[in-house]
Amino acid sequence: MTSTRDNELGARREQGQQALLSLSQLALDGMEQGVCVYDADNRIVLVNRRYIELFGMSADIVRLGTRYRDVLAHSVALGNIRASDLDALYAARIALIAAGKPFHTRQTLASGLVITLELKPLPDGGWMTICDDVSRLARLEVELQLQTERSQHALANMSHGLIMYDADSRVVVCNERFLQFYNLDPELVKPGISHSTAIEHWLSRGNTADMSADEFRETRINDVRTRSPKTVLVTRHDGRRVQAVSRFMPDGGWVTVHEDVTERLQHEETLKQQNLMLDAALENMAHGLAFYDSDMRLRICNSTYQQIYRLSPEESKPGTHLAALIERSMANGAFASEYSPQQLVEAASARIANRDSSPIRRSMSNGTVISVRYCALPEGGFVATYEDITERERAVEELSEQYRRFDAALNNMSQGLCMLDASLHVIVCNRRYIEMYGLSPDIVKPGVSMREIMEHSCDLGIHPNTTAAKIYADYVERLREGEHTLHRHLSDGRIIKLNHKRMEHGGWVVTYEDVTERHKAQARVAHMAQHDSLTDLPNRTLFREKMGEGLNQVAIAGGAMAVLCFDLDNFKTVNDRLGHAAGDRLLRWVAAQLKENVGEHDTVARLGGDEFAVLQRGPQPQSAERLARRLVEIIGHPPPLGSQSIHVGVSVGIAIAPDHGLDADELMKCADLALYQAKAKGRGAYQLFEPEMEEEARSRHALEHDLRGALEANQFHLVFQPQVRLDTTELTGFEALLRWNHPSRGFVSPAEFIPIAEENGLIVPIGEWVLRTACATAASWPDVTVAVNLSPVQFRSRGLVAMVTSALAEAGLPPRRLELEVTETALLDDSEATIGILHQLRTLGVRVSLDDFGVGYSSLSYLRKFPFDRIKIDRSFVGTLGESPESAAIVRTIASLGAVLGVETTAEGVETIEQLDFVRECGCTAVQGYYFGKPCPAAEVGLTIETLNAVRRVA
């Protein structure tokens, strides 16, 4: 009985378990996800309907007990898996399951469904896979990717620049056009950087707004804080104008669109100017003018029209009908008519319709007469002109009076006039003819013969050294030749021009004109053609003519002649600082000194600009050298111009004929070569031509030719000389020095090629290469500075500040680690402009030092106008400390000056321990020279730094 009960309980338990399994199966079949469970032998122990449906499998195959490999083979048969992938796929998944590693994958089925499969190992050794249909999500992802690509394509191909920020003021996105607009670094301006960082980089690339940089930063940050939509105009680094429009988004971020509006602004300005010119033309017309549309309503009129018809601007505003204008004009008393305004309008309409532009005469109340014309326009409407013809009508009335005045006009002509018949008897003559010759009106009157008039004039002594018979015979002979002009030179010096014109019916009209002043003026013009208008000295043309005459005399009669070419030193600075009027006064003073100091038969000329020349006879070259010495001394000490003292001098080149040739061009070339050598001496000097100068000129020309290709051929390199602080012997930086290693010349001294580069302008690209190379090299150093020399020529070229900014940005070098060295020459050329540029460089954070102090004019005004970071004492003083008390005094003075101003002072050229101790005693704060190290290549800078640091540790 017990056995029977146990059997019943077992049956009920089995039925309960079966019911529970059925219930679980029912729950699984109702899931959105497909589920399949495998045992440790990889056989199915549980599978729901959704799993079979997702894969499109057969329930007869995928059922309890089916092996996983058979399931995969069935999926291969359905096209869900490639047959070639079956073995590898099965092996890989079984290996992961055996290792107890769950994994997730995505699969696209033959039906097009995209499903995800998640395979998880079970604690009892089996495993399960859960599948989900993500086709819609996959489509959304594809659409989102496509939309993203389209958005990116649209951004990339926008003609405008665009940048977007999030609510935290950080860049979300910006397009390539935005970066190109402002020459921005894409490695810096990218998603995630702050608004303030983007502004700083934008400013550093040379872009500006119509305000200071600080104001621009504050304004843009305030716009973001107050969420104020804003449109601003900015200027790109290349000068083009850009309009930036900012719009704020609901999420707190904002987007700014940048449009290049340079051409639009130019067009608007052109249109504005055209409108101004049109308005000016309308308002300055002598006629009244009005434009009407096809409905006879006024579109525009000028003030002359308003004045004629006594209309105020309010009464004649655009849109007013012609009838109303006529009515108001009549009411204001401009004119009266027997016709009504409407009748006048109808008459005007008829004329316009018939394109009748003949004038209408209208008498105004003030007595004037106005001619009115209507001209129909092709596109409709018409133009009306109103001309005051009062004076013209009066002119017609006065025409007869003019005829009556003819006789008076004849007798008041500025020229004399005499009309002769065929037998040369007077028909008529005017008073001017009689007065011009001082003749008697009782004799010279109609009917008198020309022979009698000539006898009368000879009796008065008008024609000396001749007779009336001779004059008359010559006169008749000329008349036989036809119409002609002749000149009579009278005894009182006057010149009378006689012009003979044959009359149609015989006889002659003779006019007599006093051309004395004209001849004098022509003589003055001839003088001006050969003389300088400012100094009245002979010009280049006359100078060459005089030189040719002098060379002919030397060739024929012997002797010698010197050509002295003068060139003012520092004249450009006078012009720039004091103006051209002051420069002209200086040139006239120089001309006066030249004329005062040359001989009576010497020639002084102004060849152009600040160039003068002298031709000098006499014993040579002694006379020329004596004259050159005297003029160098005199011109080197000019008087003040107004209240301004000036610093000028003169350089002189001398060539001698016949020693240096008898050809004018050759002699001038020799004098120019000598002048060049005089300038090379340091200016304020003279030089006699020597034959070897031609070879030097050719050599210099060849060196200049090689110099033009040196940069492109990579023949330049930099060396770096250490700079050391005196109190701590700490290395503070290096000065970058330019070196040229020519393939055939070898090492070329900077003292030889730098002046040539400055003269021909090559120093600008070379200087830029030096700056960029020095910054790029220094970027890899420790926290020390690199000093770069700037030429005065670089300050005169445009874009120095932008070039420095670009070099720093490209190298990634902080501005505080760059020191720019300028000489007093740069400040002397144009101090105000140069100091303005220095202030811009200082704003960047760059250090500025005054180089070679003490060898130029050493004007303390430079130190007052600009706060230099460093004064560098020239090596010429340091090198002579033991020999020259003056040098020692200068070094002490400059060091003391630096201490008072709070400026560092660096002594250059320190080579010995004695020199080092002396400059330390004088108060210098830093030194540079061979004592601490010779200039070394970039590759050896690291070793130099280590060596100096080791020396410092030992010290």
Side-chain angles (χ1 to χ4, degrees), residues 543-556:
F543 181 76
R544 292 300 293 267
E545 183 180 317
K546 294 288 186 182
M547 185 189 295
E549 294 172 359
L551 291 174
N552 286 336
Q553 291 177 6
V554 170
I556 296 170

Side-chain angles (χ1 to χ4, degrees), residues 73-352:
H74 181 40
S75 195
V76 168
L78 293 173
N80 295 328
I81 302 173
R82 291 185 300 185
S84 58
D85 294 340
L86 174 59
D87 293 336
L89 181 64
Y90 175 76
R93 291 185 180 180
I94 292 301
L96 288 171
I97 292 165
K101 295 181 179 178
F103 65 94
H104 185 278
T105 186
R106 177 179 288 195
Q107 182 176 352
T108 302
L109 304 181
S111 63
L113 292 179
V114 180
I115 63 171
T116 59
L117 293 87
E118 187 174 1
L119 285 79
K120 297 181 178 179
L122 298 176
D124 59 358
W127 56 282
M128 69 183 297
T129 178
I130 302 172
C131 308
D132 200 0
D133 182 356
V134 294
S135 302
R136 182 172 178 274
L137 178 61
R139 286 196 300 273
L140 290 175
E141 289 176 348
V142 171
E143 290 176 1
L144 179 60
Q145 182 179 359
L146 179 60
Q147 190 174 13
T148 302
E149 290 175 353
R150 288 173 176 170
S151 299
Q152 291 174 343
H153 182 73
L155 278 174
N157 289 278
M158 284 178 66
S159 61
H160 295 0
L162 180 142
I163 187 167
M164 182 183 294
Y165 296 88
D166 60 18
D168 295 326
S169 297
R170 293 193 174 275
V171 172
V172 177
V173 67
C174 69
N175 64 359
E176 184 68 21
R177 184 63 170 163
F178 173 76
L179 298 173
Q180 293 172 350
F181 254 22
Y182 298 113
N183 190 26
L184 302 180
D185 185 351
E187 294 301 319
L188 180 61
V189 181
K190 58 186 178 181
I193 73 160
S194 67
H195 180 221
S196 58
T197 301
I199 288 177
E200 291 303 324
H201 181 58
W202 184 89
L203 289 168
S204 74
R205 301 300 261 191
N207 304 297
T208 59
D210 296 336
M211 61 185 76
S212 70
D214 290 339
E215 289 175 324
F216 180 68
R217 293 186 194 95
E218 183 177 344
T219 299
R220 294 306 288 165
I221 292 171
N222 185 61
D223 291 342
V224 173
R225 185 171 57 251
T226 59
R227 295 177 59 79
S228 304
K230 201 67 172 287
T231 298
V232 297
L233 276 176
V234 298
T235 303
R236 282 182 6 185
H237 54 91
D238 57 2
R240 295 187 69 81
R241 299 282 280 168
V242 176
Q243 177 178 279
V245 181
S246 299
R247 293 288 184 269
F248 286 85
M249 297 178 291
D251 63 356
W254 77 96
V255 62
T256 305
V257 178
H258 301 255
E259 178 186 2
D260 189 332
V261 294
T262 307
E263 281 72 23
R264 191 189 80 191
L265 292 177
Q266 291 172 346
H267 176 71
E268 289 174 353
E269 180 61 25
T270 300
L271 189 59
K272 177 182 176 183
Q273 293 301 322
Q274 289 175 345
N275 288 336
L276 289 174
M277 288 189 287
L278 177 60
D279 291 343
L282 283 174
E283 291 305 313
N284 287 279
M285 287 179 63
H287 297 359
L289 185 73
F291 288 81
Y292 299 86
D293 60 21
S294 55
D295 294 328
M296 305 192 82
R297 292 187 177 277
L298 183 66
R299 291 171 62 186
I300 189 173
C301 67
N302 64 0
S303 57
T304 305
Y305 167 79
Q306 294 170 335
Q307 292 167 6
I308 290 172
Y309 285 99
R310 300 183 184 179
L311 295 170
S312 69
E314 180 63 26
E315 291 172 327
S316 57
K317 62 184 180 182
T320 307
H321 196 276
L322 178 59
L325 292 169
I326 295 174
E327 184 176 351
R328 291 171 188 171
S329 180
M330 288 180 169
N332 292 340
F335 73 101
S337 175
E338 57 182 306
Y339 301 104
S340 68
Q342 189 58 41
Q343 288 174 319
L344 293 175
V345 169
E346 290 173 356
S349 297
R351 283 177 166 270
I352 294 165

